[in-house]
Amino acid sequence: MTVASIGARCRLPGWESLKRSAEEAAALIENGMTVGMSGFTRAGEAKAVPLALAERARHDPLSITLMTGASLGNDLDKQLTEAHVLSRRMPFQVDATLRRAINSGEVMFIDQHLSETVELLRNHQLKDMDVAVVEAAAITEEGGIVPTTSVGNSASYAILAKQVIIELNLSAPAELEGLHDIYIPQMRPNRTPIPVVAPDSRIGTPYIPIDPSRIAAIVVTDGRDSPSTVLPPDVDTQRIADHLMAFFAAEVEAGRLSRSLLPLQAGIGTMANAVMTGLANGPFEHLTMYSEVLQDSTFDLFDAGKLDYASGCSITLSEARGEAVWRNLDKYRDRLILRPQELSNHPGIVRRLGVIAVNTALEADIYGNVNSTHVCGTRMMNGIGGSGDFARNAQLAVFITKSLAKGGDVSSLVPFVSHVDHTEHDVDILVTEHGLADLRGLAPRERAPLIIENCADPAYRPALHRYFEAACRRGGHTPHCLEQALGWHQAMERDGHMRTLRDDG
Amino acid sequence: MTVASIGARCRLPGWESLKRSAEEAAALIENGMTVGMSGFTRAGEAKAVPLALAERARHDPLSITLMTGASLGNDLDKQLTEAHVLSRRMPFQVDATLRRAINSGEVMFIDQHLSETVELLRNHQLKDMDVAVVEAAAITEEGGIVPTTSVGNSASYAILAKQVIIELNLSAPAELEGLHDIYIPQMRPNRTPIPVVAPDSRIGTPYIPIDPSRIAAIVVTDGRDSPSTVLPPDVDTQRIADHLMAFFAAEVEAGRLSRSLLPLQAGIGTMANAVMTGLANGPFEHLTMYSEVLQDSTFDLFDAGKLDYASGCSITLSEARGEAVWRNLDKYRDRLILRPQELSNHPGIVRRLGVIAVNTALEADIYGNVNSTHVCGTRMMNGIGGSGDFARNAQLAVFITKSLAKGGDVSSLVPFVSHVDHTEHDVDILVTEHGLADLRGLAPRERAPLIIENCADPAYRPALHRYFEAACRRGGHTPHCLEQALGWHQAMERDGHMRTLRDDG
C-alpha cells in the first residue's frame, strides 16, 4: 500500500481548517466522557489519538468510558490501562494488561453481545456518547467517512456522538473505498425489515454519512494494523477441522445441506481459522461467509476457488497474508463487504440466512452448556463477543475446543461449567480433537454420554462417567451432584490443575 | 359459544368420506412415530385423538415422540404419561405427572426456545413428522385449516407431517375465523424478510394452507379448553407491578420511551399477568402487545381503553373471562391477531419492534443470571418457553420474581444460579416485591450490590453481601467463592430450606 496524496483522500472542501495534531484532538476528550472508537479484532482502530490520550493522562490524569467495536491493536488497551484512562470499557477486549485490571476490579468491563452495543446507545440505554474517534481511509466531498479495515461500531458512534474526530490514515489502501456497506436500522417503533437476504446484499452507502459540522478534528496518520496472532493449524485443531468436515459431508449426504453448505461464520482465533482452512481441501463448492471477522482463512478459501463471497465487519490478517491482500485488494474486492457489526452479527439476519456458526468454547459441560469467557467462573478472558449473536440464531451452532488445556492439567469438558455464556438450547454440535457430539433433538441425559465419549479426553472420561452416573441416581431432568458440580474447578483453584480427576492421575 | 352446523364449519367438498371416530383416527398413529399436536398454553389442543391414543395404549402399548406448541390442557399430558405413550416430548410442558416422568428419566424432554422447534423440523434436524393432529374451528373449501384458540406450531406441523388429522371442534366460536394470520418463512438460503413491522401487520392467510389429499381423518369434537389457572394479583405481585410501572414512568420522563411504551410481551402466569393488569391503571395510552400468550390481562387492558392491539399465538383465559370474551369476540377481533409461534416469538421481529419483555424467573443470582427452569439445578419445572426468544432480543428484558419462595424458606436471589437459562447479557431489569435493579450498562461488580439491596429479601441480604465481599477479596470480573457458590442449593437439598442463610434464621 502506498501513501496517498491527502487531496485524493480528503475531499471535504475546507477540511484543512479542521486539521489537528493527535495531541490537539485528544484535548477534546475530557475527564468523565464517554468515548467511542473504531476498531474490531485489532483492525481499523484509531491509532494516534488514543496514544496521545494515554500520554496526556500520565501527567494530567483523566478517566473515561471507552466503547469500541471489539478489540484494539497496537497495544492501545495496554497503554490506556497503564495510564489509568479506562474507568469503564465495553463491549470486548483481548489485552492482557486490561484483562488484569478488569479482574482486579479496577476497570468496570461490560461484556456484551457485539450486535447490541449501538442498539443500547441509540435508545439512550447507555450514557450518551461525547466523542467518537474513527479511523478513515478517505473523507468524501460531503464529509462521509470511509472506514479502513473494520466497520465495527464506527458508523453509529460517528452518527450518535456529539463530536467526531477522524484519523485519516494515508497508509490504508485507497482501494478500501467501495468495500463497505453502511446501513443503520431505523428508530423503533417504525423500523422496517433490514433488507439483507444474502451475504452479497448491498443495502447502504460505501461511507458513514454524517453532518460535517460535527467533525471536530481531522488527524492525519499512517500507522498500520497489528498483524493477527493466529497460529497455523496443529495436530489437534486439524483433527477438529477433520471431524467437522466429515460431519458437513454427512449432512450433505443426508440432504440437510447442499454442497455449498450455508453462509459460514467463524469466531476469531486459531481454532476457528483452522476449521475454515479445512474447507479449502474439502468437497464443498461455492461457499459464502456471513461472519464478523474475516481472517487469513477467508482468503485461503478465495484462492482455493472455494469461496464465492464473504461479508464481515473487519479484516484481520497475519503479516504475510496482509502484505498479499492489501497489495492486491482489487483481486478480492468484488467478493467482499464490510458492514457495521450490528448488521454482520444481526440476530434476525443470522436467522434468516441460516448461518453455520463455528465458535470456540473455553469449556463445556456434559449437558452442552458452554463457557466462553470466565476462567474458573470468575476471571474474564476476552468477552462473549459475537458468539451469542450467531449461536442463538444459527441453523447449526457449532462449538469447538481442545479437550485439554495446560498440557493435560485441565479438562475442557467438565460436569458443570463454572460460567454459562451459551445454554444447552444454543449448542447443536460440540467438537474436540477426539470427536463430535451431535446434540440436536437430544435430552440432557442423552447428551451427557455422547459428550463424554466423543469429546472428553480419555483420561478424564471415567471421572465424568462416574459423576453422571451418581447424578442420575439422584434424578432430575439435568442430573447433578451439587456438592461435586464445581469440584473440578475447585481442584484447579486449589492445586493449579485437575490431574486428580484423571484416571491415570 | 354455540354448537354450529357442521356444513358451515367444514366446507371441503366430500369431507364426509374423511370423517372418523377419535379411535379410528388414533389408529393412524403407530408405535415409534413422531406426532405433532396443536396446543399452546392449554389453548386449542387437539382433545379427542390424544385421549383415544392414551386409552388404546392401556391395552396396546405404544410410545411416540410428541411435539406440541407448548403446554396442553385437559390433563392430556397426564393421561398420555400415565399410559406410557410418551418416550420423547418437546418443546414445553406444565403437567405435574409428566414433570415427574421427565425428572425420573422416563420421558426424554427436549426443552427448546419456542420459536425454534419448527425451524429444526423444517430443516430435517429433528426426525420427520409422521402425523399432525390439529384442532380446527373450520375447514375451508380448499381444505385450509382454521385453528381455534391457538396457532402454536400447528401450521408447520400440518404442512410438514406426512398425514394430518383434523379435530373439527364445533364448540369453538365461528368468529375465530379471520383472527389468525398464517405465514411460513421461506426455506433457506432464499428466505426474504418477514414483513411484520407492527403488532397489527397481517402478512399471511387466515387459515393453514395444506394439500387436502394429506388430510387422513376429520374427527368432529366439541370439547372446551381448560380455563387458565392464573390467580389475581396478591400483595407481592402488586408491588412488583408497581415497581415496574414506576420504572416505565421514569423511562417516559427521561425520554427513553413514549407514553405508548413499546410492544409488550408478558410470560404466562400469575406474576406477568399482574404486571399487565397494573398497566390498566397506569398513565400509559395506546399500548400494543407483541406476545405469545394473551391472558385475562390483555382483555382487561382492552376494556380499560389502554390497549390498541394485541398479537399472540394463543389465548388462554380464566373461566369467567373466557365466558365474556368468547361470547363477545366481535368486540375484540379487529384488535387481535394469532400467529404461528415462530412468528410471535421471532428473534428478528422482537428485535425489530423493540419489544418490552416481561418474564418470570425461578431464581436469579447476584450478577443477574436467571434460572427459569430447574429447581436446584436438576429438576425441570416447565421449560424455558419463549422467554429466551424475547429476552435476548427485547429493547428491555425484564425478569420478575418474588424474593422468597416456600414461605421464606427459600431465597430466589442466590450467589450463583444452579442453572442458567438467561445470561447476564440478556437481563436488563430485575424486579421483586422489594424493588427494581436497573442493570443496563453495569459490570458484574456493580450489579451485585444493586441486586442484593433492591431485590433480595432483607433477611437474606447480609449473607449475600458477605458472599459478595468475600468473593471480591479473591478477585475476578465476576467474583465467586466456588466452594460456597452452590451452597445455598446444597442447604436446600440437605435441609429442605435455606433458613440457615437467613440473618434471622
PDB file of all heavy atoms in Angstrom, chain B residues 83 104 123 258 308 319 324 418 502:
ATOM      1  N   ALA B  83     -50.323 -43.465  30.551  1.00  0.00           N
ATOM      2  CA  ALA B  83     -50.460 -44.605  29.627  1.00  0.00           C
ATOM      3  C   ALA B  83     -49.118 -44.953  28.973  1.00  0.00           C
ATOM      4  O   ALA B  83     -49.056 -45.805  28.093  1.00  0.00           O
ATOM      5  CB  ALA B  83     -51.493 -44.277  28.555  1.00  0.00           C
ATOM      6  N   SER B 104     -37.616 -38.238  36.423  1.00  0.00           N
ATOM      7  CA  SER B 104     -37.148 -39.590  36.755  1.00  0.00           C
ATOM      8  C   SER B 104     -36.398 -40.205  35.584  1.00  0.00           C
ATOM      9  O   SER B 104     -35.832 -41.291  35.713  1.00  0.00           O
ATOM     10  CB  SER B 104     -38.339 -40.478  37.114  1.00  0.00           C
ATOM     11  OG  SER B 104     -39.065 -40.793  35.941  1.00  0.00           O
ATOM     12  N   ASN B 123     -35.878 -28.099   8.656  1.00  0.00           N
ATOM     13  CA  ASN B 123     -34.547 -28.373   8.122  1.00  0.00           C
ATOM     14  C   ASN B 123     -34.109 -29.822   8.371  1.00  0.00           C
ATOM     15  O   ASN B 123     -32.947 -30.144   8.234  1.00  0.00           O
ATOM     16  CB  ASN B 123     -33.533 -27.413   8.753  1.00  0.00           C
ATOM     17  CG  ASN B 123     -33.849 -25.974   8.421  1.00  0.00           C
ATOM     18  OD1 ASN B 123     -34.260 -25.665   7.301  1.00  0.00           O
ATOM     19  ND2 ASN B 123     -33.702 -25.084   9.382  1.00  0.00           N
ATOM     20  N   SER B 258     -41.895   6.346  24.852  1.00  0.00           N
ATOM     21  CA  SER B 258     -43.065   7.215  24.703  1.00  0.00           C
ATOM     22  C   SER B 258     -44.163   6.722  25.647  1.00  0.00           C
ATOM     23  O   SER B 258     -44.039   5.658  26.247  1.00  0.00           O
ATOM     24  CB  SER B 258     -43.566   7.189  23.262  1.00  0.00           C
ATOM     25  OG  SER B 258     -44.287   5.999  23.048  1.00  0.00           O
ATOM     26  N   ASP B 308     -54.362  -0.847  22.244  1.00  0.00           N
ATOM     27  CA  ASP B 308     -54.857  -0.695  20.870  1.00  0.00           C
ATOM     28  C   ASP B 308     -54.874  -2.007  20.100  1.00  0.00           C
ATOM     29  O   ASP B 308     -55.753  -2.230  19.270  1.00  0.00           O
ATOM     30  CB  ASP B 308     -53.979   0.300  20.092  1.00  0.00           C
ATOM     31  CG  ASP B 308     -54.265   1.742  20.481  1.00  0.00           C
ATOM     32  OD1 ASP B 308     -55.126   1.964  21.351  1.00  0.00           O
ATOM     33  OD2 ASP B 308     -53.602   2.641  19.919  1.00  0.00           O
ATOM     34  N   GLU B 319     -62.037 -18.989  33.560  1.00  0.00           N
ATOM     35  CA  GLU B 319     -63.420 -19.405  33.288  1.00  0.00           C
ATOM     36  C   GLU B 319     -64.309 -18.187  33.016  1.00  0.00           C
ATOM     37  O   GLU B 319     -64.976 -18.097  31.979  1.00  0.00           O
ATOM     38  CB  GLU B 319     -63.947 -20.159  34.526  1.00  0.00           C
ATOM     39  CG  GLU B 319     -65.278 -20.833  34.326  1.00  0.00           C
ATOM     40  CD  GLU B 319     -65.114 -22.229  33.708  1.00  0.00           C
ATOM     41  OE1 GLU B 319     -64.302 -23.006  34.227  1.00  0.00           O
ATOM     42  OE2 GLU B 319     -65.796 -22.517  32.699  1.00  0.00           O
ATOM     43  N   ALA B 324     -66.950 -14.341  28.909  1.00  0.00           N
ATOM     44  CA  ALA B 324     -67.215 -12.998  28.388  1.00  0.00           C
ATOM     45  C   ALA B 324     -66.574 -12.769  27.023  1.00  0.00           C
ATOM     46  O   ALA B 324     -67.181 -12.173  26.132  1.00  0.00           O
ATOM     47  CB  ALA B 324     -66.714 -11.958  29.390  1.00  0.00           C
ATOM     48  N   SER B 418     -28.301 -22.093  40.028  1.00  0.00           N
ATOM     49  CA  SER B 418     -27.968 -23.510  39.880  1.00  0.00           C
ATOM     50  C   SER B 418     -28.147 -23.998  38.447  1.00  0.00           C
ATOM     51  O   SER B 418     -27.746 -25.111  38.107  1.00  0.00           O
ATOM     52  CB  SER B 418     -28.844 -24.335  40.828  1.00  0.00           C
ATOM     53  OG  SER B 418     -30.216 -24.089  40.553  1.00  0.00           O
ATOM     54  N   ARG B 502     -30.514 -17.214  56.491  1.00  0.00           N
ATOM     55  CA  ARG B 502     -31.246 -16.002  56.886  1.00  0.00           C
ATOM     56  C   ARG B 502     -30.528 -15.330  58.043  1.00  0.00           C
ATOM     57  O   ARG B 502     -29.989 -15.986  58.922  1.00  0.00           O
ATOM     58  CB  ARG B 502     -32.668 -16.353  57.352  1.00  0.00           C
ATOM     59  CG  ARG B 502     -33.598 -16.798  56.253  1.00  0.00           C
ATOM     60  CD  ARG B 502     -34.964 -17.151  56.849  1.00  0.00           C
ATOM     61  NE  ARG B 502     -35.601 -15.975  57.409  1.00  0.00           N
ATOM     62  CZ  ARG B 502     -36.625 -15.319  56.841  1.00  0.00           C
ATOM     63  NH1 ARG B 502     -37.109 -15.746  55.699  1.00  0.00           N
ATOM     64  NH2 ARG B 502     -37.140 -14.265  57.428  1.00  0.00           N
TER      65      ARG B 502
END
